[in-house]
Amino acid sequence: AEETLKEAEDLAHPYSGIKEVEKISLSSGRSSYILCRKGSFLTWQEPFYSFLISVVAEESGKSASSWEWLEVNSPDCFNAKEKSKKAVEKAIALSHTRKGESLKTKVLFPPFVVVDLLELLSFALSGEEVLKGRSFLKDKLGKRVFSDEITIIDDGLLESGLETRPFDDEGMPQSRKVLVEKGERIVQGIFLPVFIANFTEVQEITQ
């Protein structure tokens, strides 16, 4: 672990403009899932490896910081050097930015921002919120709601995916569900707790 951290930190220093490495950490362990439901006792364990680095760049008196974070459940997917390089590149780029005129343009979101957007979208995809009429998707089942270039999949069995396991939070078998396909919200795009699904006689159940 110490060797990995040193290699990742040393990678940042040769870059011109990097003022300091603010923080760098690495951890590993095992995550355990235990679920007791209706007489069933389900358990699952998986390893985890996480890495965080934060760096500060300076250009013409302007400082900017950037960070990268990684968490995987397989050492084969662990690449601290790549994350260090990305953090350095972002910090340097930010230190060169200058205030410009306001404009309306297309934006390409980095992966970590997309994750935040998906977290917000999960509220709209909640079956409970749809049934209560609080979701903006309540009347959009099977209708186009996004660009046809957007497909969103909830795959609880994704190989090497975080929290991939045989059962969900309610003890139901995990599966691969297409929530949005080419911009259209389809039937599987409803998240319903079991008790609500039984009450509304909905067949597709997921948590």
Side-chain angles (χ1 to χ4, degrees), residues 58-75:
E58 189 172 65
E59 172 65 25
S60 301
K62 179 181 179 180
S63 295
S65 64
S66 180
W67 58 270
E68 279 288 326
W69 173 78
L70 171 69
E71 183 170 339
V72 295
N73 56 18
S74 169

PDB file of all heavy atoms in Angstrom, residues 58-75:
ATOM      1  N   GLU A  58      -0.905  25.861  -9.607  1.00  0.00           N
ATOM      2  CA  GLU A  58      -0.826  27.317  -9.559  1.00  0.00           C
ATOM      3  C   GLU A  58      -0.266  27.852 -10.872  1.00  0.00           C
ATOM      4  O   GLU A  58       0.729  27.346 -11.394  1.00  0.00           O
ATOM      5  CB  GLU A  58       0.051  27.772  -8.402  1.00  0.00           C
ATOM      6  CG  GLU A  58       0.012  29.281  -8.166  1.00  0.00           C
ATOM      7  CD  GLU A  58       0.743  29.663  -6.902  1.00  0.00           C
ATOM      8  OE1 GLU A  58       1.972  29.467  -6.860  1.00  0.00           O
ATOM      9  OE2 GLU A  58       0.088  30.129  -5.958  1.00  0.00           O
ATOM     10  N   GLU A  59      -0.923  28.885 -11.398  1.00  0.00           N
ATOM     11  CA  GLU A  59      -0.492  29.509 -12.647  1.00  0.00           C
ATOM     12  C   GLU A  59      -0.751  31.010 -12.554  1.00  0.00           C
ATOM     13  O   GLU A  59      -1.890  31.439 -12.355  1.00  0.00           O
ATOM     14  CB  GLU A  59      -1.261  28.918 -13.837  1.00  0.00           C
ATOM     15  CG  GLU A  59      -1.032  29.609 -15.167  1.00  0.00           C
ATOM     16  CD  GLU A  59       0.399  29.482 -15.660  1.00  0.00           C
ATOM     17  OE1 GLU A  59       1.087  28.515 -15.263  1.00  0.00           O
ATOM     18  OE2 GLU A  59       0.828  30.364 -16.441  1.00  0.00           O
ATOM     19  N   SER A  60       0.319  31.805 -12.679  1.00  0.00           N
ATOM     20  CA  SER A  60       0.212  33.271 -12.638  1.00  0.00           C
ATOM     21  C   SER A  60      -0.521  33.751 -11.387  1.00  0.00           C
ATOM     22  O   SER A  60      -1.376  34.659 -11.452  1.00  0.00           O
ATOM     23  CB  SER A  60      -0.489  33.789 -13.901  1.00  0.00           C
ATOM     24  OG  SER A  60       0.224  33.408 -15.062  1.00  0.00           O
ATOM     25  N   GLY A  61      -0.221  33.125 -10.261  1.00  0.00           N
ATOM     26  CA  GLY A  61      -0.821  33.552  -9.004  1.00  0.00           C
ATOM     27  C   GLY A  61      -2.187  32.977  -8.719  1.00  0.00           C
ATOM     28  O   GLY A  61      -2.751  33.213  -7.641  1.00  0.00           O
ATOM     29  N   LYS A  62      -2.739  32.233  -9.656  1.00  0.00           N
ATOM     30  CA  LYS A  62      -4.068  31.641  -9.445  1.00  0.00           C
ATOM     31  C   LYS A  62      -3.926  30.172  -9.083  1.00  0.00           C
ATOM     32  O   LYS A  62      -3.309  29.390  -9.808  1.00  0.00           O
ATOM     33  CB  LYS A  62      -4.932  31.769 -10.698  1.00  0.00           C
ATOM     34  CG  LYS A  62      -6.314  31.143 -10.521  1.00  0.00           C
ATOM     35  CD  LYS A  62      -7.164  31.255 -11.765  1.00  0.00           C
ATOM     36  CE  LYS A  62      -8.529  30.586 -11.550  1.00  0.00           C
ATOM     37  NZ  LYS A  62      -9.392  30.673 -12.732  1.00  0.00           N
ATOM     38  N   SER A  63      -4.499  29.802  -7.939  1.00  0.00           N
ATOM     39  CA  SER A  63      -4.454  28.407  -7.498  1.00  0.00           C
ATOM     40  C   SER A  63      -5.777  27.706  -7.781  1.00  0.00           C
ATOM     41  O   SER A  63      -6.850  28.321  -7.746  1.00  0.00           O
ATOM     42  CB  SER A  63      -4.167  28.337  -5.987  1.00  0.00           C
ATOM     43  OG  SER A  63      -2.886  28.829  -5.696  1.00  0.00           O
ATOM     44  N   ALA A  64      -5.688  26.421  -8.077  1.00  0.00           N
ATOM     45  CA  ALA A  64      -6.889  25.616  -8.315  1.00  0.00           C
ATOM     46  C   ALA A  64      -6.606  24.194  -7.849  1.00  0.00           C
ATOM     47  O   ALA A  64      -5.501  23.678  -8.019  1.00  0.00           O
ATOM     48  CB  ALA A  64      -7.254  25.632  -9.793  1.00  0.00           C
ATOM     49  N   SER A  65      -7.597  23.597  -7.255  1.00  0.00           N
ATOM     50  CA  SER A  65      -7.434  22.223  -6.770  1.00  0.00           C
ATOM     51  C   SER A  65      -8.371  21.282  -7.516  1.00  0.00           C
ATOM     52  O   SER A  65      -9.409  21.692  -8.039  1.00  0.00           O
ATOM     53  CB  SER A  65      -7.708  22.144  -5.265  1.00  0.00           C
ATOM     54  OG  SER A  65      -9.054  22.483  -4.977  1.00  0.00           O
ATOM     55  N   SER A  66      -7.980  20.038  -7.541  1.00  0.00           N
ATOM     56  CA  SER A  66      -8.805  19.016  -8.169  1.00  0.00           C
ATOM     57  C   SER A  66      -8.545  17.693  -7.460  1.00  0.00           C
ATOM     58  O   SER A  66      -7.484  17.497  -6.860  1.00  0.00           O
ATOM     59  CB  SER A  66      -8.480  18.892  -9.655  1.00  0.00           C
ATOM     60  OG  SER A  66      -9.290  17.893 -10.260  1.00  0.00           O
ATOM     61  N   TRP A  67      -9.513  16.806  -7.541  1.00  0.00           N
ATOM     62  CA  TRP A  67      -9.371  15.523  -6.876  1.00  0.00           C
ATOM     63  C   TRP A  67      -9.896  14.406  -7.765  1.00  0.00           C
ATOM     64  O   TRP A  67     -10.688  14.631  -8.683  1.00  0.00           O
ATOM     65  CB  TRP A  67     -10.104  15.511  -5.533  1.00  0.00           C
ATOM     66  CG  TRP A  67     -11.576  15.802  -5.650  1.00  0.00           C
ATOM     67  CD1 TRP A  67     -12.180  17.021  -5.603  1.00  0.00           C
ATOM     68  CD2 TRP A  67     -12.629  14.855  -5.878  1.00  0.00           C
ATOM     69  NE1 TRP A  67     -13.534  16.911  -5.775  1.00  0.00           N
ATOM     70  CE2 TRP A  67     -13.836  15.586  -5.952  1.00  0.00           C
ATOM     71  CE3 TRP A  67     -12.670  13.472  -6.023  1.00  0.00           C
ATOM     72  CZ2 TRP A  67     -15.073  14.964  -6.161  1.00  0.00           C
ATOM     73  CZ3 TRP A  67     -13.897  12.861  -6.241  1.00  0.00           C
ATOM     74  CH2 TRP A  67     -15.077  13.607  -6.288  1.00  0.00           C
ATOM     75  N   GLU A  68      -9.444  13.217  -7.485  1.00  0.00           N
ATOM     76  CA  GLU A  68      -9.951  12.017  -8.146  1.00  0.00           C
ATOM     77  C   GLU A  68     -10.123  10.946  -7.091  1.00  0.00           C
ATOM     78  O   GLU A  68      -9.332  10.827  -6.152  1.00  0.00           O
ATOM     79  CB  GLU A  68      -8.985  11.527  -9.228  1.00  0.00           C
ATOM     80  CG  GLU A  68      -9.092  12.273 -10.554  1.00  0.00           C
ATOM     81  CD  GLU A  68     -10.361  11.949 -11.328  1.00  0.00           C
ATOM     82  OE1 GLU A  68     -10.821  10.786 -11.254  1.00  0.00           O
ATOM     83  OE2 GLU A  68     -10.893  12.849 -11.996  1.00  0.00           O
ATOM     84  N   TRP A  69     -11.179  10.160  -7.251  1.00  0.00           N
ATOM     85  CA  TRP A  69     -11.500   9.100  -6.295  1.00  0.00           C
ATOM     86  C   TRP A  69     -11.810   7.826  -7.057  1.00  0.00           C
ATOM     87  O   TRP A  69     -12.393   7.856  -8.145  1.00  0.00           O
ATOM     88  CB  TRP A  69     -12.690   9.530  -5.438  1.00  0.00           C
ATOM     89  CG  TRP A  69     -13.216   8.456  -4.527  1.00  0.00           C
ATOM     90  CD1 TRP A  69     -12.676   8.046  -3.345  1.00  0.00           C
ATOM     91  CD2 TRP A  69     -14.393   7.665  -4.716  1.00  0.00           C
ATOM     92  NE1 TRP A  69     -13.443   7.053  -2.778  1.00  0.00           N
ATOM     93  CE2 TRP A  69     -14.505   6.789  -3.608  1.00  0.00           C
ATOM     94  CE3 TRP A  69     -15.364   7.609  -5.718  1.00  0.00           C
ATOM     95  CZ2 TRP A  69     -15.544   5.880  -3.468  1.00  0.00           C
ATOM     96  CZ3 TRP A  69     -16.391   6.691  -5.587  1.00  0.00           C
ATOM     97  CH2 TRP A  69     -16.486   5.846  -4.465  1.00  0.00           C
ATOM     98  N   LEU A  70     -11.416   6.719  -6.497  1.00  0.00           N
ATOM     99  CA  LEU A  70     -11.632   5.422  -7.141  1.00  0.00           C
ATOM    100  C   LEU A  70     -12.012   4.400  -6.088  1.00  0.00           C
ATOM    101  O   LEU A  70     -11.384   4.323  -5.032  1.00  0.00           O
ATOM    102  CB  LEU A  70     -10.348   4.974  -7.852  1.00  0.00           C
ATOM    103  CG  LEU A  70     -10.302   3.539  -8.407  1.00  0.00           C
ATOM    104  CD1 LEU A  70     -11.259   3.410  -9.592  1.00  0.00           C
ATOM    105  CD2 LEU A  70      -8.890   3.173  -8.829  1.00  0.00           C
ATOM    106  N   GLU A  71     -13.055   3.631  -6.363  1.00  0.00           N
ATOM    107  CA  GLU A  71     -13.389   2.489  -5.512  1.00  0.00           C
ATOM    108  C   GLU A  71     -13.813   1.336  -6.401  1.00  0.00           C
ATOM    109  O   GLU A  71     -14.708   1.479  -7.241  1.00  0.00           O
ATOM    110  CB  GLU A  71     -14.491   2.816  -4.510  1.00  0.00           C
ATOM    111  CG  GLU A  71     -14.777   1.645  -3.578  1.00  0.00           C
ATOM    112  CD  GLU A  71     -15.690   1.981  -2.417  1.00  0.00           C
ATOM    113  OE1 GLU A  71     -15.812   3.174  -2.076  1.00  0.00           O
ATOM    114  OE2 GLU A  71     -16.276   1.047  -1.830  1.00  0.00           O
ATOM    115  N   VAL A  72     -13.167   0.209  -6.246  1.00  0.00           N
ATOM    116  CA  VAL A  72     -13.462  -0.973  -7.046  1.00  0.00           C
ATOM    117  C   VAL A  72     -13.480  -2.194  -6.124  1.00  0.00           C
ATOM    118  O   VAL A  72     -13.065  -2.128  -4.968  1.00  0.00           O
ATOM    119  CB  VAL A  72     -12.396  -1.184  -8.156  1.00  0.00           C
ATOM    120  CG1 VAL A  72     -12.431  -0.032  -9.159  1.00  0.00           C
ATOM    121  CG2 VAL A  72     -10.994  -1.309  -7.557  1.00  0.00           C
ATOM    122  N   ASN A  73     -13.982  -3.310  -6.645  1.00  0.00           N
ATOM    123  CA  ASN A  73     -14.000  -4.533  -5.838  1.00  0.00           C
ATOM    124  C   ASN A  73     -13.075  -5.610  -6.392  1.00  0.00           C
ATOM    125  O   ASN A  73     -13.161  -6.764  -5.989  1.00  0.00           O
ATOM    126  CB  ASN A  73     -15.428  -5.081  -5.708  1.00  0.00           C
ATOM    127  CG  ASN A  73     -16.075  -5.324  -7.061  1.00  0.00           C
ATOM    128  OD1 ASN A  73     -15.398  -5.417  -8.088  1.00  0.00           O
ATOM    129  ND2 ASN A  73     -17.391  -5.418  -7.075  1.00  0.00           N
ATOM    130  N   SER A  74     -12.205  -5.192  -7.326  1.00  0.00           N
ATOM    131  CA  SER A  74     -11.236  -6.128  -7.890  1.00  0.00           C
ATOM    132  C   SER A  74      -9.898  -5.417  -8.074  1.00  0.00           C
ATOM    133  O   SER A  74      -9.859  -4.314  -8.635  1.00  0.00           O
ATOM    134  CB  SER A  74     -11.726  -6.672  -9.233  1.00  0.00           C
ATOM    135  OG  SER A  74     -10.695  -7.384  -9.895  1.00  0.00           O
ATOM    136  N   PRO A  75      -8.796  -6.006  -7.653  1.00  0.00           N
ATOM    137  CA  PRO A  75      -7.493  -5.372  -7.842  1.00  0.00           C
ATOM    138  C   PRO A  75      -7.131  -5.200  -9.309  1.00  0.00           C
ATOM    139  O   PRO A  75      -6.323  -4.342  -9.664  1.00  0.00           O
ATOM    140  CB  PRO A  75      -6.524  -6.335  -7.128  1.00  0.00           C
ATOM    141  CG  PRO A  75      -7.241  -7.639  -7.059  1.00  0.00           C
ATOM    142  CD  PRO A  75      -8.693  -7.299  -6.940  1.00  0.00           C
TER     143      PRO A  75
END
